[in-house]
Amino acid sequence: MKIKILIVLSVLISFLNFAYAEDPFSRSFSTPSTVTGDLTLTDDGSDAVHPMMKYDVAKYFVKGVIVSLEGSIAVMSIPGGKDYIMFPGDPIGNDLHTIKSIDQDYIIVGKNSSDEEITISVSNPLLATNLSGM
């Protein structure tokens, strides 16, 4: 009987490491990429420049955001393009903008060299409704 209990306990203890979820705001799931070579914008559809750094910042839109005490992320894309997970501090646009902050309804992007800031609203923001009237 004691042997069965020890076996069950050892199996349970071995699976405890798999019980904890990974931090969704961590970048440990991806390896950082290094960009080498010329970063000139090409119109031929070349993959030389990341899509989130290829166009004017006004062409990007925010599909959704997650804001918590642990951090914030935004799901962004261009019309008809792939979705990308973006973090504060990530570069965006072809004019050296970075994501300054991510809020529930918008993100703020700006340049490090100037005080210029641009607000990009979430395309389908969650509207707070009064459910007490039901």
Side-chain angles (χ1 to χ4, degrees):
M1 182 69 164
K2 290 182 181 181
I3 295 175
K4 288 182 182 179
I5 292 174
L6 287 174
I7 291 172
V8 169
L9 283 175
S10 63
V11 169
L12 288 175
I13 290 172
S14 67
F15 285 110
L16 280 178
N17 291 337
F18 300 111
Y20 297 104
E22 190 173 325
D23 181 10
F25 298 103
S26 168
R27 289 186 180 219
S28 63
F29 60 87
S30 64
T31 57
S33 63
T34 57
V35 180
T36 58
D38 188 19
L39 290 179
T40 57
L41 181 63
T42 58
D43 291 334
D44 61 359
S46 167
D47 289 335
V49 178
H50 191 278
M52 297 309 288
M53 295 176 63
K54 197 178 255 189
Y55 307 103
D56 184 66
V57 74
K59 291 191 178 207
Y60 297 99
F61 64 95
V62 181
K63 289 186 170 183
V65 297
I66 298 174
V67 179
S68 80
L69 296 175
E70 297 294 322
S72 303
I73 60 175
V75 179
M76 299 185 69
S77 69
I78 56 170
K82 264 177 65 174
D83 296 340
Y84 293 94
I85 305 293
M86 304 295 287
F87 293 83
D90 282 351
I92 185 167
N94 61 357
D95 200 19
L96 302 175
H97 286 87
T98 58
I99 297 175
K100 298 292 184 186
S101 67
I102 299 174
D103 196 16
Q104 183 175 348
D105 299 322
Y106 56 88
I107 68 165
I108 296 175
V109 298
K111 292 183 181 182
N112 290 333
S113 61
S114 71
D115 292 334
E116 173 194 5
E117 289 186 343
I118 299 169
T119 301
I120 304 173
S121 297
V122 176
S123 5
N124 190 9
L126 176 66
L127 299 176
T129 58
N130 185 359
L131 299 177
S132 62
M134 295 181 121

